[in-house]
Amino acid sequence: MNHILVTGAAGGMGRAICNRLKGYGYTVYGIDYREPETDLGVKFYTCDVTKTDSITAVYEAIEKECTHLDAIVHTAGIYDLDSLIEMTEERFTRIFDINLFGIYRVNKIFKPMLSDGSRIIITSSELAPLDPLPFTGIYGITKAAVEKYAFSLRQELNLLGIKVSVIRPGAVKTGLLNVSTVALDRFIENTKLYNANANRFKKIVDSVEAKNVSPEEIADAVDAALTDKCPKYIYNVNRNPLLRLLNAMPDHAQVAVIKMILK
């Protein structure tokens, strides 16, 4: 490994991954829509993954410095929480535009710099394989779509010698936890359909997010996905046992339990 692109580099997970990779002596290219609060010590480019022109400009700049990338590590993404009936269409489509289409755009544009032996690592969520919970459904839906995309991409790029892996983290102690709190408080304040339910749901979210891990543990998983001779498709980090137990129930039982808890 010599040259690696990291998306979402200014975030908690992205920063931890950049630190790990630059510590190995790799040349790291970090991109994010915002400037990092402190110097990452990598080659950083401001980039909006919802804009093809923005990604293309970064591609052209990096191409002038190196002829290939050994890996792309995707951590760019946003979290949102709301009622599927009440949220605006703009917010509904925006989370897909970043969490799913952003990954698609970066991979498509940077593919010419990937070759046999390169790797793509995509950050998903422990919610992706689970049946969606109320109010966090929009986030889970996007991550489920990301994993369908990732597996299809793994099938296709494997024919070209490029490996695709998914990091599937539970709660991670990054800025996203603060975003989650803000989104939940906004939902509680604004919902006109689920006032009592939303306050009860906050207790569930708080209990799930209380068991969080450091961004460095995500960097450990990325490290494994980059260096394992035969990388796994899924690297799980910090799976929540209560969510797994709920998901093991039949669908009708899950709905009944959630109604009993939130009513």
Side-chain angles (χ1 to χ4, degrees):
M1 294 288 171
N2 293 308
H3 301 90
I4 300 179
L5 174 69
V6 179
T7 76
M13 286 188 289
R15 177 180 296 276
I17 292 165
C18 285
N19 286 337
R20 180 69 58 84
L21 297 178
K22 73 180 182 182
Y24 292 149
Y26 302 151
T27 299
V28 181
Y29 302 96
I31 66 173
D32 206 306
Y33 76 97
R34 66 187 188 280
E35 292 282 346
E37 294 179 359
T38 58
D39 184 18
L40 295 174
V42 303
K43 297 178 183 293
F44 181 82
Y45 300 87
T46 302
C47 179
D48 183 350
V49 297
T50 69
K51 307 294 184 184
T52 298
D53 290 348
S54 181
I55 303 170
T56 300
V58 174
Y59 171 83
E60 291 173 349
I62 293 176
E63 190 184 29
K64 293 176 181 177
E65 296 192 25
C66 68
T67 58
H68 75 285
L69 289 175
D70 296 287
I72 300 174
V73 181
H74 292 274
T75 72
I78 61 170
Y79 178 87
D80 206 351
L81 180 154
D82 205 340
S83 153
L84 292 173
I85 290 297
E86 294 176 297
M87 71 186 306
T88 64
E89 181 176 346
E90 179 183 9
R91 283 177 54 210
F92 188 94
T93 56
R94 179 173 179 267
I95 191 169
F96 278 95
D97 201 18
I98 296 171
N99 289 1
L100 176 62
F101 301 145
I103 294 171
Y104 154 78
R105 293 184 188 101
V106 171
N107 289 338
K108 180 177 177 61
I109 291 170
F110 277 89
K111 168 58 188 72
M113 296 189 72
L114 302 175
S115 59
D116 189 359
S118 297
R119 302 189 179 190
I120 295 176
I121 300 170
I122 298 171
T123 304
S124 177
S125 166
E126 69 168 335
L127 298 180
L130 305 181
D131 293 328
L133 291 170
F135 315 132
T136 62
I138 183 60
Y139 180 73
I141 291 166
T142 64
K143 292 301 186 178
V146 163
E147 289 204 8
K148 288 295 185 182
Y149 164 82
F151 189 76
S152 296
L153 189 69
R154 178 180 173 90
Q155 294 273 40
E156 294 176 9
L157 293 187
N158 187 54
L159 302 175
L160 304 178
I162 300 171
K163 305 298 184 184
V164 177
S165 295
V166 167
I167 308 297
R168 189 186 280 167
V172 183
K173 192 174 183 180
T174 67
L176 277 184
L177 287 184
N178 295 330
V179 171
S180 171
T181 300
V182 171
L184 183 54
D185 289 344
R186 181 187 62 217
F187 170 52
I188 291 171
E189 181 180 352
N190 294 333
T191 182
K192 293 179 172 57
L193 298 175
Y194 302 103
N195 299 89
N197 314 74
N199 280 289
R200 293 191 181 99
F201 185 70
K202 180 176 174 60
K203 296 180 180 179
I204 298 177
V205 173
D206 288 343
S207 66
V208 169
E209 294 184 347
K211 183 182 179 296
N212 56 70
V213 297
S214 70
E216 284 69 31
E217 292 192 47
I218 307 304
D220 291 340
V222 170
D223 194 358
L226 287 173
T227 59
D228 286 351
K229 184 176 181 181
C230 296
K232 296 185 293 185
Y233 171 53
I234 297 290
Y235 290 82
N236 288 298
V237 183
N238 191 33
R239 300 176 71 190
N240 186 282
L242 292 179
L243 291 178
R244 293 164 61 191
L245 178 62
L246 178 65
N247 195 73
M249 298 178 180
D251 292 346
H252 69 277
Q254 292 186 51
V255 173
V257 167
I258 291 297
K259 184 176 182 179
M260 180 178 63
I261 295 173
L262 297 184
K263 267 296 189 179

